[in-house]
Amino acid sequence: GMNMTGVETVSGENTLFSVCFQYPDSTGGNITSANSACRKVTAKDIECFFNNLKPDGRKEMILAVPEVPLAPRLKLLEIGRNRSSFNIVSVLPAEIDEFKNGDGFMLTDLLSINIDEAGKIAGLESAPSDTVINACLNVLTGINSKMMVFITDGPNGSYGYSNGRLEFIPPLKTKAIGTGGAGDAFLSGIITGVCCGLPALKNYSDHYFSETPLASAGELGTLLASFSVTSPDTIHPSANAQTLYDYALHNSVCFSADFARLFNHI
């Protein structure tokens, strides 16, 4: 069902290859090849793709993530801003200075980062999470006060910022089999929630997950991330609306009326 109009095959190039590693405490990461076809994507390729689209992107989301080089991602965001699209971004610590100097944060509507990336933005090598988060937001809001920001802090939960308010989103604790892909699942849930009309945040910081009924895209991201780590795979092979709903019921998670509508078809 995907529209493959903008996809080409490049002879002699490989698809992206990545290996997930995991430590005994279930933390880990990815080692990704740097010589794949993704590295061949250029800003010109981005321009050529949009030449064939209508100029109105008001119902459009653009996702710029590190699988391709920074230059085409900045071009993607620039075009998205000109089209009035909703620009969603994640960025690696090593890219942050260049991304900032390329006005990337100015072009971002929603930024999803982890606590290490927040520390890089804040210029803090080692500090308590609350210090890092506040310093990071001071930098980001000084650049783009309208940007929404989500910051994950591993098993400690996550934080969301929107319209001048910082909100804590507690984790849904579960037995983690593998944490690889949890950040991507978190962002996927947020994007899905926004697409389905949920607010980014619910304007209340619960002390524990589902202390009050789930109502926000940030909480959908947390729910999906919790479900994701119950699989050893970086992408949970059984993740769908039905299994996520069952997982929520198993953990006695309460939904608001608007949140429950996401699962009405089940």
Side-chain angles (χ1 to χ4, degrees):
M2 288 186 174
N3 183 339
M4 304 295 285
T5 304
V7 178
E8 297 179 14
T9 298
V10 182
S11 62
E13 299 292 342
N14 298 314
T15 54
L16 190 67
F17 179 77
S18 186
V19 175
C20 179
F21 62 90
Q22 183 172 313
Y23 298 113
D25 65 354
S26 294
T27 61
N30 297 313
I31 300 173
T32 304
S33 62
N35 60 344
S36 73
C38 294
R39 295 287 114 185
K40 301 292 184 179
V41 177
T42 67
K44 185 66 175 178
D45 294 324
I46 303 299
E47 291 177 336
C48 289
F49 172 78
F50 281 99
N51 285 339
N52 299 319
L53 295 183
K54 294 179 181 179
D56 186 1
R58 285 175 291 179
K59 295 183 178 180
E60 178 179 88
M61 282 183 165
I62 281 178
L63 178 63
V65 289
E67 276 71 16
V68 299
L70 193 56
R73 283 151 55 201
L74 289 170
K75 175 57 68 175
L76 181 63
L77 296 173
E78 177 188 327
I79 292 174
R81 178 61 74 244
N82 292 335
R83 294 170 56 82
S84 299
S85 306
F86 187 76
N87 286 348
I88 303 167
V89 169
S90 62
V91 61
L92 299 175
E95 302 172 326
I96 284 170
D97 290 340
E98 187 179 354
F99 186 80
K100 178 181 177 181
N101 293 336
D103 290 332
F105 292 125
M106 280 291 296
L107 301 170
T108 300
D109 295 304
L110 190 156
L111 175 68
S112 180
I113 53 177
N114 62 33
I115 195 69
D116 294 329
E117 291 151 358
K120 177 67 175 179
I121 293 170
L124 297 174
E125 293 297 327
S126 179
S129 292
D130 57 347
T131 301
V132 169
I133 289 163
N134 287 319
C136 174
L137 289 174
N138 282 337
V139 172
L140 293 175
T141 55
I143 299 171
N144 180 356
S145 61
K146 297 181 179 180
M147 178 170 38
M148 287 187 282
V149 182
F150 285 90
I151 303 172
T152 58
D153 190 15
N156 300 316
S158 61
Y159 297 81
Y161 175 86
S162 179
N163 295 321
R165 175 181 169 80
L166 177 63
E167 185 172 306
F168 173 63
I169 308 172
L172 174 55
K173 295 186 182 298
T174 191
K175 183 178 180 180
I177 297 176
T179 58
D184 290 342
F186 178 72
L187 179 55
S188 298
I190 292 171
I191 293 172
T192 301
V194 172
C195 282
C196 293
L198 293 179
L201 302 171
K202 69 177 178 184
N203 295 323
Y204 182 82
S205 292
D206 285 350
H207 296 91
Y208 56 88
F209 192 74
S210 189
E211 178 187 14
T212 58
L214 305 193
S216 68
E219 290 169 306
L220 181 60
T222 300
L223 179 64
L224 184 57
S226 177
F227 181 54
S228 172
V229 302
T230 64
S231 167
D233 299 294
T234 54
I235 300 175
H236 197 308
S238 300
N240 56 44
Q242 180 67 66
T243 56
L244 188 63
Y245 179 74
D246 293 341
Y247 180 74
L249 290 183
H250 178 75
N251 285 276
S252 302
V253 173
C254 298
F255 295 165
S256 68
D258 287 341
F259 199 97
R261 290 191 186 101
L262 273 62
F263 303 94
N264 278 351
H265 64 286
I266 294 174

